[in-house]
Amino acid sequence: MKLALIADIGGTHVRFALWRDGRPQALRVLATGDYPGPEEAIRAYLAALELPLAALETACLACAGPVHGDRFSLTNNHWRFGRLALTHALGLRQLLVINDFAAMALGMTRLAEHERLTIRPGQAAVGSPRLVLGPGTGLGVSALLPDGPGNWRVLPGEGGHVDLPLGNSREVALWQLLQRDLGHVSAESVLCGSGLLRLYRVSCRLDGQQPRLDSAAAVSAAALAGEAGAMAVLEQFCCWLGRVAGNHALTLGARGGVYLAGGILPHFAAFLRDSGFSRCFVDKGVMSGYLQDIPVWLAVAEQPGLLGAGLALDAWAKRQPA
């Protein structure tokens, strides 16, 4: 029996599954740091399932980074590979490589109501684009464009690397410290796992305090426990996420709604909902009213990126000659 493999490759982890009957099966999560590249990780995944490499026929790899040409470099890990070389090494008939947030966006099209939480109520405009973004190891951004009744076309991009927007004097002061450390200050510089810790440290510097927390998880945990300094940092994180989401929604005209995704936000969903995210999302001067009715949802589904990779593989296969 010929098998289809799907993978969601991030900066820290790669999630593998087999695509059967329209859904991911046999999910395994591996650390990208444990393998020199995707070929070795795929071989290890199949070996763990006691499946021969020859059983694999097609695959879709959703990769965290720009996707164009034959050569691929992951933005936040060391993996580098060529599509043709990997196709031959694995003996595949077809190999599709897409951006990871393109896959995430496709996964949003299959969310059930219980798989999304309302962060900002509104009225989704029928026939309008939708924005998908979310912090993880990096900051992913993609878009869904309407393509006929019930159909969507994905517009991938690298919107996580836009400049970090500034809305008040404290944000300017924080940006100055970040710029001193980093040079270019992108949205992803703050809006990702390592970025939350970076924001905590520059906030401590700005306030003349000694940092005592040493991970993003510790910062969010301290904030949820009511520690004032950590709460202020997480609040700033949410505000900056709102500013970035609002900027992208304006650019895209995303009146169909905004999906927040990724592995970080579900850990503090209630905090995010009650934070300044919504205020900063619409804080666009004369264009604030344009954003006022746009709903924002937080995706809490299991592995939507893998689901999207499978949907992309199905759609691509239909376009191939018999």
Side-chain angles (χ1 to χ4, degrees), residues 183-194:
H184 177 248
V185 184
S186 68
E188 185 176 275
S189 300
V190 167
L191 299 176
C192 66
S194 61

Side-chain angles (χ1 to χ4, degrees), residues 210-227:
Q210 187 68 29
R212 61 178 187 81
L213 304 173
D214 59 3
S215 70
V219 174
S220 58
L224 295 180
E227 197 275 306

Side-chain angles (χ1 to χ4, degrees), residues 170 174 196 199-200 203 207 209 219 222-224 226-240 271:
R170 182 171 178 83
L174 289 168
L196 177 57
L199 177 58
Y200 167 73
S203 297
D207 296 333
Q209 298 177 355
V219 174
L224 295 180
E227 197 275 306
M231 288 180 68
V233 171
L234 195 58
E235 171 70 14
Q236 182 61 67
F237 182 95
C238 294
C239 287
W240 253 324
F271 188 102

Side-chain angles (χ1 to χ4, degrees), residues 237-247 276-278 280-282 284:
F237 182 95
C238 294
C239 287
W240 253 324
L241 182 63
R243 295 196 193 284
V244 172
N247 284 354
F277 171 91
S278 290
C280 293
F281 178 81
V282 300
K284 304 301 177 190

Side-chain angles (χ1 to χ4, degrees), residues 24 63 68 115 131 133 135 139-140 142 147 157 181 185 189 194 206 216 222 231 233 243 246 250 255 270 277 303 319:
C63 300
H68 55 83
E115 292 177 319
L131 172 67
L133 77 162
L139 177 64
S142 191
D147 191 24
D181 293 342
V185 184
S189 300
S194 61
L206 182 61
M231 288 180 68
V233 171
R243 295 196 193 284
L250 272 181
R255 302 179 94 165
F277 171 91
Q303 309 302 337
R319 297 193 299 268

Side-chain angles (χ1 to χ4, degrees), residues 19 22 105-112 115 307 311:
W19 183 246
L106 284 173
M108 297 300 101
T109 68
R110 293 289 184 90
L111 287 185
E115 292 177 319
L307 175 61
L311 295 174

Side-chain angles (χ1 to χ4, degrees), residues 239-274:
C239 287
W240 253 324
L241 182 63
R243 295 196 193 284
V244 172
N247 284 354
H248 283 304
L250 272 181
T251 301
L252 183 64
R255 302 179 94 165
V258 175
Y259 291 102
L260 302 177
I264 292 178
L265 300 180
H267 295 294
F268 50 89
F271 188 102
L272 173 65
R273 184 194 61 223
D274 297 334

